[in-house]
Amino acid sequence: MKEPLTNKQIIFLIFSYIVGYGIISLPKNIAENMGTGGWISIVIGDIIIIFSAFLFTYLAKTFNNKTIFEYSRILTGTFISYCIIFIISIYSISTATVITKLTCETIKLSFLINTPIWALTTFMLIVCFYTLLNDIHILGRVFEIFCLAFIIFAIVLDVAIFSQGELTDIKPFFLLDVKGLIKTLPKIIFPFVGIELLAVIPMDFKKENKKVFRYILGILVIIGIIYILNVESSISVMGVDSIIHYEDARFASIRRIEIDALQFLKRLDSIFIVAWLLSTFGTIVLSLYMAVFLLNKLFSKINRNIIVFILIAIVFILTLIPTTMDMLRQALDYVSYLGIGILLVMPILLSIITLIKKHFKKI
């Protein structure tokens, strides 16, 4: 058996999965329902994901060195376990499809106006295919380097945006609208999707991964801080009344600022697009990795590379189905609702079954 991933590799894989496409539309979605008090919904969303991470970690610790493919069979039996595997696989493929399509649409509308969507999709999926031919250990080392650079860049960028914004635009800070909060939470689930990756990462709590939850907690707090800075800095530049009209609110806010003292930062949007594309690429690759991992376990006689090729082909075909942005946003809503089931309902039920079986000493 291969050596388990290190705690650092695990948390940077989680970061790469969670922080992706959603960061460009998050300011608009938050401001639309919560105004300047939107940071409260991010804090609540972060707490929910931390709870989900605790459940996945609890299951991984109870079934040391096993993934959801193994422990779901122990807990629920073969038939229900296979249903869980198929649901997660469908969810992962759907997530990759929606993000790929949204990313290509954003690139076309903002930068490559004359480039057909299918060409952008083909190029992106070819890169994903090549990346997925590697195992999780190589992905862990690659994303470990990228995430450190991205975190530093994100903080520097937010400081730069705040320097050009107006403090009055983000006041009052403690504006709590309960109805707005209820409307906002389902919309911010998608930017937090990714913690379910823990279900397919074998962890050794007897050796390498004893303190992994502390690391996971730390990276989720950092993600929450980055999201809050993202939203508040964007609102400080554009104001609530203006930002709600932009689906790509982050891009719009970056284009409105110019730092004369730093010549190489005059076009922050060009630097941001590179970082954003890399983070989005991480989300697509890791969501597909989940499906590849589970389906490879389920159909062990089929070569893994063939499964990768088939899934890439399926994603490409599915990206051709939504022909309008309205259809695409509707698909995003469906994936978000399914994500709630994967992130919360599934680990809660499996954890309850684990506790019951522990009580009767069947584990």
Side-chain angles (χ1 to χ4, degrees), residues 288-299:
L288 282 175
Y289 172 81
M290 285 189 65
V292 170
F293 177 87
L294 294 172
L295 294 176
N296 188 41
K297 287 275 190 179
L298 196 59
F299 304 104

Side-chain angles (χ1 to χ4, degrees), residues 232-243:
E232 296 299 319
S233 63
S234 298
I235 293 176
S236 74
V237 170
M238 300 185 67
V240 171
D241 294 334
S242 177
I243 204 169

Side-chain angles (χ1 to χ4, degrees), residues 110-111 153 157 160 251 253-260 262-274:
S110 303
F111 300 95
F153 171 75
L157 178 63
F251 282 144
S253 63
I254 291 173
R255 291 192 188 103
R256 290 198 178 191
I257 69 172
E258 184 175 300
I259 304 176
D260 294 327
L262 301 173
Q263 294 297 322
F264 69 97
L265 287 179
K266 276 195 171 184
R267 287 302 305 271
L268 275 173
D269 58 336
S270 61
I271 302 174
F272 176 76
I273 188 64
V274 175

Side-chain angles (χ1 to χ4, degrees), residues 67-77 81 84-85 350:
T67 65
I68 195 169
F69 183 83
E70 289 86 20
Y71 61 69
S72 64
R73 295 181 69 180
I74 296 172
L75 295 171
T76 64
S81 173
I84 292 173
I85 299 309
L350 291 178

